[in-house]
Amino acid sequence: MPFVRGLRRFVRDANWPGFVVSVLFLAIAHFGTSTNYNVWPVTKDTLDLYVYPKAKHEHVPFVFVVLIIMLYSIFIVLGEVFVVRNGRLADRLILGANLAMGIWETFFIAAGVTELGKTWVSEPRPDFKWRCLDGPGAPTFGPNGEVQCSSKDMTDARASFPSGHSSVGVSVGVYMSAYLIYTVYHRDIECFFRNGTTWKAWYYRQIASALYLVAFLPILVGGIIAASRLLDHRHSPADVTAGSLLGVVTGTAMVFTVWSHNAQNSLRAKYSQLTNPAHPAQPNFHTGADDIDLDEQDDDMIN
């Protein structure tokens, strides 16, 4: 049955194990750890470091970050199916699914590492005093000089380092910008404006060359998300810097991971075509695999 064959193909070529592992990693990091209130005590000598007022409304709510990732995922899948158009529809769908799952893996891993850092460090936020006293009230201190909070749950108030918005926003931005730059300018694709000889194709090539910096917009969006945490007094500059660096590392690592997985799938398809010429298998045209020259290897295998 076509459905069964398609399902087996998806299980074989889609990177769903990595997606599942990243989800489990975030779940363990979030639910399997707890804030350590003894690591970073707030006393009457240090309380003045956290006197910023708590913002009533965040400039960039976290749900907006998730919405951006959803839009990026849809954009990738539609681009692979209707714009890049390499290989059969099944090949394009699997590649689009892999790349879309890759951006979600980036999100889950960056968020999971951030959660581990927050619970391990347990640094108070810049608006800790406001959260502790439920407003601009006068603090009271215990026998050891530690501030006595009127709020019962101070877990989020001790989740300053590193910035989660920064790590997630920058990591997803790096991933998306890398995809745009490689696909539009460097990838071997059958897109009409890359390979066409008409004046229209030439015209679109000139536009693509002139708009090179547009591919960096996702990174800019990630930077804006990170900067908003300073405006909301949710994080210090060190928190935002650490989160952004974490995002760069995570996003870059996931770009190479997804490329490696998809390149292996395409090599397997080309080998299958050589060993079974009666039923040639279409290559998956996964990212980067078409740049590999297999002519010499093919001649050796045939001979």
Side-chain angles (χ1 to χ4, degrees):
M1 295 176 61
F3 175 78
V4 176
R5 290 197 301 268
L7 182 61
R8 289 192 306 190
R9 171 77 183 279
F10 181 83
V11 172
R12 186 193 69 184
D13 290 341
N15 191 26
W16 59 268
F19 179 83
V20 173
V21 170
S22 64
V23 173
L24 293 177
F25 172 69
L26 175 58
I28 293 173
H30 181 75
F31 297 106
T33 59
S34 59
T35 302
N36 190 345
Y37 291 90
N38 298 321
V39 172
W40 207 297
V42 180
T43 65
K44 55 185 176 182
D45 297 326
T46 61
L47 183 61
D48 290 339
L49 298 174
Y50 316 107
V51 296
Y52 290 95
K54 180 182 178 181
K56 294 182 179 179
H57 303 286
E58 295 180 330
H59 284 81
V60 183
F62 197 75
V63 65
F64 180 74
V65 179
V66 176
L67 179 61
I68 290 178
I69 301 175
M70 292 177 61
L71 294 177
Y72 286 164
S73 304
I74 296 173
F75 178 86
I76 289 174
V77 174
L78 294 180
E80 291 296 325
V81 174
F82 297 107
V83 179
V84 177
R85 296 179 298 182
N86 268 354
R88 298 171 301 181
L89 178 60
D91 299 320
R92 304 198 299 264
L93 286 174
I94 290 178
L95 176 55
N98 275 345
L99 294 172
M101 284 191 292
I103 201 170
W104 282 103
E105 286 182 57
T106 306
F107 164 71
F108 292 136
I109 293 176
V113 175
T114 301
E115 286 292 321
L116 292 177
K118 287 178 180 294
T119 55
W120 179 48
V121 179
S122 298
E123 179 189 6
R125 293 184 184 271
D127 58 358
F128 178 86
K129 180 179 179 181
W130 191 278
R131 292 167 177 261
C132 177
L133 304 176
D134 284 329
T140 58
F141 301 94
N144 296 328
E146 296 187 9
V147 63
Q148 302 295 307
C149 294
S150 56
S151 297
K152 295 182 179 180
D153 187 8
M154 294 296 294
T155 300
D156 187 62
R158 288 182 172 272
S160 186
F161 184 89
S163 169
H165 279 66
S166 303
S167 63
V168 170
V170 172
S171 64
V172 171
V174 168
Y175 183 98
M176 190 64 190
S177 289
Y179 168 77
L180 291 175
I181 293 172
Y182 187 74
T183 299
V184 176
Y185 298 100
H186 305 290
R187 188 171 160 198
D188 185 15
I189 60 177
E190 298 296 332
C191 192
F192 74 96
F193 73 86
R194 286 278 301 276
N195 304 314
T197 57
T198 63
W199 69 268
K200 187 176 181 181
W202 176 88
Y203 177 73
Y204 280 111
R205 281 197 295 270
Q206 304 311 309
I207 294 179
S209 299
L211 297 180
Y212 191 87
L213 293 178
V214 174
F216 290 91
L217 279 179
I219 294 180
L220 177 61
V221 172
I224 293 174
I225 294 173
S228 71
R229 305 307 286 169
L230 297 174
L231 299 177
D232 295 334
H233 304 305
R234 293 290 197 268
H235 295 282
S236 66
D239 302 334
V240 172
T241 302
S244 299
L245 291 176
L246 173 61
V248 171
V249 173
T250 306
T252 304
M254 283 306 306
V255 167
F256 286 101
T257 300
V258 172
W259 179 89
S260 175
H261 173 80
N262 294 321
Q264 291 174 7
N265 288 341
S266 186
L267 287 172
R268 181 169 62 245
K270 291 181 179 180
Y271 178 79
S272 175
Q273 184 176 8
L274 290 172
T275 57
N276 191 10
H279 300 283
Q282 295 292 331
N284 290 337
F285 295 96
H286 287 322
T287 308
D290 296 319
D291 297 334
I292 301 175
D293 187 4
L294 298 179
D295 291 338
E296 296 181 1
Q297 293 89 329
D298 295 351
D299 294 336
D300 295 339
M301 295 177 65
I302 294 176
N303 294 331

